[in-house]
Amino acid sequence: DQQVKQNSPSLSVQEGRISILNCDYTNSMFDYFLWYKKYPAEGPTFLISISSIKDKNEDGRFTVFLNKSAKHLSLHIVPSQPGDSAVYFCAASESYAQGAQKLVFGQGTRLTINP
Amino acid sequence: NAGVTQTPKFQVLKTGQSMTLQCAQDMNHEYMSWYRQDPGMGLRLIHYSVGAGITDQGEVPNGYNVSRSTTEDFPLRLLSAAPSQTSVYFCASRRGGNSPLHFGNGTRLTVT
């Protein structure tokens, strides 16, 4: 049973446009959400996170939106750049701030930015 | 800071062989964990540790052992390798609170 789902395996966006990556979850106890970016032959690197007490968090070109009633989060990248081409994973956890270690990941979405 | 260091980068094993994947971090993080990444399945938690001497099972622990004798090191042992353990393995660590996980660059393991 996949508790965190990224239903789009791939996404292609033109350089300069907005990229929107989506993630759905089923566990209403999740209280912390993270996005990671992964290049080939490297480990995932942290991008941005959001706590369940917020509905939006911004960091430069990256914004994460959380809709708790729909159990949905999205990552917006504006403007998209060629270096953003990578696989993006969303992840979720219960009681993360209290030291929980069980981070549940989605399957990933491969983003390609076309020049 | 080297961050999270994993060795080896690549490994090929025959079915039934055993081996240890090494993981070390120099950030004094108390939490460490092991994930495996398989196509179409994201990353799945194998084992984790909340401090030296304390380990626990994740989502897919069967066939793997861990120990945490120091804060820095968290090795993952495959007791008797099986083809189903062919995967990319990532070690990760973090501080407490809402700090994110920091990942190593992975070990690509093939079991024939």
Side-chain angles (χ1 to χ4, degrees), chain A residues 16-91:
Chain A
R17 302 280 198 154
I18 183 171
S19 295
I20 300 176
L21 295 97
N22 294 304
C23 180
D24 296 298
Y25 62 95
T26 56
N27 187 343
S28 57
M29 298 300 291
F30 286 149
D31 59 11
Y32 202 70
F33 304 87
L34 306 93
W35 282 95
Y36 281 83
K37 177 164 96 170
K38 186 183 180 304
Y39 293 121
E42 294 184 10
T45 54
F46 170 70
L47 207 51
I48 192 168
S49 61
I50 188 167
S51 164
S52 60
I53 62 172
K54 293 186 173 182
D55 54 19
K56 178 182 172 182
N57 189 27
E58 277 183 88
D59 184 0
R61 296 186 298 115
F62 303 93
T63 303
V64 57
F65 295 92
L66 176 62
N67 182 333
K68 288 185 288 293
S69 61
K71 294 192 182 69
H72 177 83
L73 67 156
S74 60
L75 174 69
H76 293 209
I77 306 174
V78 184
S80 301
Q81 299 174 353
D84 297 330
S85 294
V87 177
Y88 289 78
F89 292 98
C90 69

